[in-house]
Amino acid sequence: MSKHLTVDRIYDQPNLSGYAIDDIGWSPDGSLLTYLREADSGTELVGYDPAADTHRVLFDYCRLEAPGVCVHADQAAAHNARSEGWHRRVQAAGYQSYTWFPDGERILVVEAGAAPCVLHLASDLLVPVSRAGASIRDTCVSPDGRYVSYCLGWDLYMRDLATGWEIPLTTGSSERYRSATPDTMGDVLSGMGHWWSPDASQIAILETDESGVPMFWYADLMSSDGQNRPERFPQPGDNIPLMALKVLGPEGYRYINTRAWAGDYLARVMWLPDSRHLALQMLSRDHKRLDLVIADSLTGVTWTILTETDPYWVNVADDLRFFSDSRRFLWSSERDSYRYLYLYDIDGNELLQLTDGPEASVAVNQLDEAGSAVYYVVWPDPYTEAQVKRVRFAEKKGSYRVLGAEQLTAAGESHFGHISPDFRFFADINSTAVRPPRLDLRDIEGKALAVVEANACEALADYGLREFEFFSLPAAQLGIPSDDMPLQAKLLEPANIEKGKRYPVIVYIYGGPLPGGFGLARNVMNYWRPVPELWLQMMAQNGYGVFSLDNRGSNAVPRGHDWETPIYQQLGHVELQDQLVGVDYLKSLPWVDPDRIGIIGGSFGGFMTLNAMLRTEGAYSTGAVYAPVTDWREYDCVYTERYMNLPARNESGYTETAIPQYGDRLDGDLLLMHGAADPNVHLQHSIQLVNQLIQDGKRFQMMLYPKQEHMSFFGMGQSPARLWTRITDFFEEKL
């Protein structure tokens, strides 16, 4: 007989997901498959040798946590220590990360709060990158392996590993005038703010003038004197940072001419293989125009070779790849709704459309120039499982043609591929909604060769997880073209359901738009996601039905641009109408109690839950909300303006979508939760709603979490466990 899940067990050890497998990559010569394996005891960097079918631990990250004083950069040491403070932004790769040196003999190992170090594989020697220890961030290995560059404060430095010298590349930067630090515009310019040329002779450096960007003050509610912590946080319509790009080379600095895009976003930066030219993606402030620009690093001259425009917005992707001759490149576009792949020449002439049909490329894995192939990820119809595909092409005398596309992984699971540098293998990380990720090795044709990490997670087998039912429902009929696009939904009936008995249902919702993200910011997927799936399984064991529906706008990458544009300038409207289709479906089921349908969501899902509770006529009786946006005028300008336009151009839209004004319509039970330290959706969103609910004489429950930030709702650990215990108690009491 299966055990019953509890909140304590979901968040306790051993982890019911087994061990996390992350940051999958290959050694430069392709001889080792490497990845981070996070077990209960800590995180290890593991190397798997496909030829010998053997594993070995290359590095244990606990070595970065040894006590002691910070080790100076010119002292070779086998360990180092944490410094007292650390910058809020760390490596974009995650809490732990690693980077191979091109010689395959060294690895840069990084952990948030610890001093980044260079690991020498032959001797197991661990050498700190800088005497500044854990204070440095955004570390990057130069393409020739001689240097490690990094940010310290607001300036950029590099360490010459041959001499041990630490060299400042910029000086005099400040919080107002920053170098190599894209913090404020992290939603647009992903990753770091500096870029090495392929031959390591030059480095492009972002400069931002933040002086005109408004400051948001976070109150430290746990301090005795009420200290405030400031951070630049431009809201819709506010000034954004002024951006510039300069290149440091043997002859000094040279600025790239981006004056034609003053007031716009520098969205992406990439060097061409020739190490002279850069490719810049310049995005207009209103997100309706994206220019692909070539810059000459020696003269600073720029010219546009390709422009994408859209009446709603343009989603920026990370699919640009240049051929070795610097004369051709791979590009992706949603100009025909689905994101298709194209080949272009350097003058911006389309050479070939590589992909088509009712599926989008959500990520390019690799361009195989010698093999004339592109590897990429799709979510085929019905968009619930990710698959790895390859499209081949041929060129003869300047004429290109597609040879065909093929799927390299099998249906029934979600797959994400990591191609080896020699194009002999790919690592396949795969999972289902009820099976944690497994890492397999496949040959380049997709044939399974070995199970690298089985991650069997025997503890999970004791709890008898049940398969969700995946199905489609028609979209709400609103008189617009996307009405013909079906909605994907999933349902899990209560355990041990009895004929003739009525049961409550909990709807879990996110429903928000997001560019990129591999299509994973959705709920209806056959893909392992312990939060909230294990909690939903627990509630089904406890006698609740659980249901999710992906409305129009939900992380539209797999569904195409036409799927998301109906939400433009009216966030929450179309999405809510689609969600009500799901409610009607639930009420048609003989076992559902139509008066006991609850809903829960966090972040954008919190915004949607409040819409469901305040802007429908009793469709939902109970709602639990974490960190909701309640007024889009007060959220981040990049995200909000993409979907709501600038406030001056959509005043009515911003007014209509503000939640507090609907407080007098609350007629059900509401639990409102927020982390007081949330740097993303600030506490003021919930406080302003609370103020209105009090004025309207409404009864509700609120939980404030003084030290919690935005991702507590979606994460693991003891703090999320307490939060989800409160949510469970609330639904058991009210639903």
Side-chain angles (χ1 to χ4, degrees):
M1 184 176 179
S2 297
K3 296 180 181 178
H4 275 265
L5 285 165
T6 64
V7 172
D8 286 342
R9 182 61 196 92
I10 291 171
Y11 288 92
D12 202 356
Q13 303 294 340
N15 195 317
L16 292 180
S17 293
Y19 38 77
I21 303 168
D22 197 14
D23 210 354
I24 300 167
W26 292 85
S27 61
D29 63 359
S31 64
L32 278 183
L33 167 63
T34 52
Y35 52 94
L36 298 182
R37 181 174 64 193
E38 183 178 355
D40 298 336
S41 58
T43 301
E44 300 170 330
L45 172 59
V46 179
Y48 171 77
D49 183 343
D53 190 26
T54 57
H55 301 75
R56 62 187 175 110
V57 176
L58 303 177
F59 182 70
D60 189 331
Y61 277 81
C62 71
R63 293 176 62 185
L64 293 181
E65 300 179 337
V69 297
C70 187
V71 181
H72 283 235
D74 56 354
Q75 294 178 312
H79 60 82
N80 58 19
R82 292 182 181 273
S83 66
E84 293 184 358
W86 60 285
H87 195 277
R88 186 174 62 85
R89 282 186 68 256
V90 291
Q91 295 294 107
Y95 186 68
Q96 291 107 354
S97 66
Y98 68 94
T99 304
W100 280 95
F101 279 73
D103 59 14
E105 298 175 355
R106 296 167 293 167
I107 300 175
L108 175 68
V109 289
V110 176
E111 181 175 43
C117 292
V118 177
L119 172 68
H120 295 255
L121 290 172
S123 62
D124 203 34
L125 184 68
L126 196 63
V127 182
V129 169
S130 168
R131 68 184 68 235
S135 299
I136 70 173
R137 65 187 191 280
D138 292 351
T139 49
C140 183
V141 177
S142 66
D144 63 356
R146 176 167 177 170
Y147 307 99
V148 175
S149 52
Y150 55 89
C151 289
L152 177 61
W154 306 109
D155 278 307
L156 181 66
Y157 293 76
M158 71 177 183
R159 181 184 176 192
D160 187 332
L161 299 178
T163 65
W165 293 344
E166 292 188 278
I167 306 166
L169 302 179
T170 66
T171 57
S173 302
S174 65
E175 189 279 328
R176 285 174 166 242
Y177 306 103
R178 306 178 183 182
S179 294
T181 309
D183 285 9
T184 300
M185 291 295 98
D187 281 348
V188 175
L189 184 58
S190 59
M192 295 180 285
H194 68 282
W195 302 266
W196 286 93
S197 63
D199 64 0
S201 66
Q202 301 187 89
I203 187 168
I205 303 171
L206 174 72
E207 285 188 347
T208 55
D209 178 353
E210 305 267 351
S211 60
V213 178
M215 196 76 79
F216 188 91
W217 295 85
Y218 299 87
D220 183 355
L221 301 180
M222 296 295 292
S223 66
S224 60
D225 56 0
Q227 290 183 358
N228 288 320
R229 176 169 62 86
E231 183 176 76
R232 304 283 176 180
F233 191 89
Q235 295 174 338
D238 285 345
N239 291 333
I240 62 174
L242 301 177
M243 299 184 183
L245 188 69
K246 64 182 180 183
V247 176
L248 173 61
E251 298 180 1
Y253 284 110
R254 178 172 288 104
Y255 279 89
I256 300 300
N257 182 4
T258 57
R259 288 190 295 270
W261 297 272
D264 291 342
Y265 297 115
L266 176 58
R268 297 289 187 273
V269 177
M270 175 185 288
W271 282 92
L272 273 64
D274 65 9
S275 291
R276 172 169 176 170
H277 297 95
L278 297 113
L280 317 179
Q281 295 186 50
M282 307 299 300
L283 180 67
S284 62
R285 172 73 188 261
D286 63 7
H287 296 260
K288 297 179 188 296
R289 180 186 178 96
L290 178 69
D291 290 329
L292 178 59
V293 177
I294 301 299
D296 187 332
S297 65
L298 300 184
T299 65
V301 173
T302 54
W303 61 97
T304 301
I305 63 169
L306 181 62
T307 297
E308 298 278 355
T309 61
D310 191 87
Y312 302 100
W313 69 86
V314 177
N315 290 313
V316 182
D318 292 299
D319 299 332
L320 179 61
R321 305 285 191 279
F322 281 91
F323 286 71
S324 59
D325 62 5
S326 297
R327 301 297 302 171
R328 296 165 295 162
F329 61 91
L330 176 71
W331 180 253
S332 71
S333 172
E334 291 180 319
R335 67 182 72 121
D336 294 319
S337 184
Y338 291 102
R339 184 168 292 281
Y340 295 142
L341 303 177
Y342 302 84
L343 296 182
Y344 277 84
D345 69 21
I346 197 62
D347 296 319
N349 300 308
E350 182 182 324
L351 302 174
L352 183 66
Q353 180 174 335
L354 290 168
T355 60
D356 58 14
E359 64 181 30
S361 168
V362 302
V364 169
N365 291 133
Q366 199 74 277
L367 167 63
D368 179 5
E369 184 176 345
S372 298
V374 179
Y375 296 83
Y376 59 105
V377 178
V378 300
W379 295 78
D381 190 356
Y383 313 104
T384 56
E385 295 176 350
Q387 304 294 341
V388 178
K389 293 191 75 172
R390 174 177 61 199
V391 59
R392 294 184 182 275
F393 59 92
E395 183 268 337
K396 186 176 182 180
K397 296 181 179 180
S399 178
Y400 291 80
R401 62 188 178 93
V402 176
L403 298 180
E406 52 198 323
Q407 186 170 305
L408 302 178
T409 49
E413 303 167 325
S414 285
H415 303 261
F416 293 90
H418 302 265
I419 315 299
S420 66
D422 55 9
F423 295 98
R424 294 176 57 208
F425 308 107
F426 71 90
D428 171 20
I429 185 77
N430 56 83
S431 69
T432 73
V434 295
R435 178 179 65 75
R438 183 183 70 225
L439 182 61
D440 294 334
L441 179 70
R442 298 181 181 273
D443 70 16
I444 203 62
E445 301 301 322
K447 179 183 177 181
L449 299 177
V451 176
V452 180
E453 291 285 355
N455 195 21
C457 193
E458 296 178 2
L460 184 65
D462 295 337
Y463 293 93
L465 302 190
R466 294 183 294 134
E467 300 277 356
F468 279 88
E469 176 190 359
F470 291 88
F471 56 96
S472 298
L473 292 172
Q477 298 303 293
L478 306 176
I480 56 179
S482 59
D483 290 352
D484 294 333
M485 304 179 77
L487 311 172
Q488 302 304 320
K490 69 178 183 183
L491 176 68
L492 189 61
E493 294 183 352
N496 304 315
I497 194 168
E498 298 178 20
K499 187 175 182 179
K501 187 176 179 180
R502 298 274 186 165
Y503 296 84
V505 177
I506 296 173
V507 177
Y508 181 84
I509 187 172
Y510 181 72
L514 186 73
F518 299 96
L520 292 173
R522 300 176 294 141
N523 291 325
V524 186
M525 302 176 294
N526 189 23
Y527 169 82
W528 179 256
R529 192 173 55 170
V531 178
E533 305 301 325
L534 288 175
W535 183 82
L536 296 176
Q537 290 273 353
M538 181 195 79
M539 297 306 282
Q541 290 178 354
N542 293 344
Y544 297 81
V546 293
F547 175 80
S548 284
L549 178 146
D550 285 338
N551 49 256
R552 277 172 282 189
S554 302
N555 191 199
V557 186
R559 299 297 303 267
H561 197 42
D562 290 347
W563 170 258
E564 63 182 352
T565 54
I567 69 174
Y568 188 56
Q569 298 193 141
Q570 53 176 357
L571 287 177
H573 173 66
V574 173
E575 302 96 313
L576 185 58
Q577 300 309 307
D578 282 346
Q579 289 295 329
L580 291 177
V581 170
V583 172
D584 290 341
Y585 169 76
L586 290 173
K587 290 182 176 180
S588 73
L589 299 177
W591 57 267
V592 171
D593 185 338
D595 296 323
R596 291 194 294 163
I597 297 178
I599 185 169
I600 178 173
S603 193
F604 195 99
F607 167 71
M608 286 302 302
T609 299
L610 290 175
N611 273 280
M613 293 296 295
L614 303 179
R615 302 188 69 182
T616 65
E617 298 295 331
Y620 306 87
S621 66
T622 311
V625 181
Y626 184 82
V629 173
T630 63
D631 191 334
W632 290 106
R633 294 184 182 92
E634 297 173 356
Y635 190 55
D636 157 55
C637 72
V638 175
Y639 182 94
T640 305
E641 291 173 6
R642 181 187 298 128
Y643 306 115
M644 288 290 289
N645 208 338
L646 289 127
R649 302 176 187 175
N650 185 27
E651 184 176 347
S652 62
Y654 278 86
T655 299
E656 182 186 347
T657 56
I659 295 295
Q661 64 188 311
Y662 303 109
D664 61 345
R665 300 185 187 180
L666 178 63
D667 192 35
D669 296 302
L670 177 66
L671 171 63
L672 179 60
M673 300 165 288
H674 214 120
D678 193 329
N680 183 8
V681 179
H682 302 140
L683 179 60
Q684 72 189 83
H685 285 270
S686 285
I687 295 299
Q688 290 172 4
L689 175 60
V690 166
N691 182 61
Q692 187 62 51
L693 291 171
I694 292 172
Q695 291 184 33
D696 292 330
K698 297 297 181 179
R699 298 175 65 87
F700 61 97
Q701 299 182 29
M702 184 173 185
M703 286 292 292
L704 184 65
Y705 296 86
K707 294 184 178 181
Q708 297 307 304
E709 296 192 0
H710 192 66
M711 296 307 292
S712 297
F713 182 76
F714 306 98
M716 298 293 286
Q718 287 304 306
S719 294
R722 298 185 188 100
L723 189 154
W724 283 95
T725 296
R726 182 68 190 91
I727 293 169
T728 304
D729 292 344
F730 174 73
F731 278 117
E732 290 181 348
E733 174 190 353
K734 299 297 184 181
L735 194 63

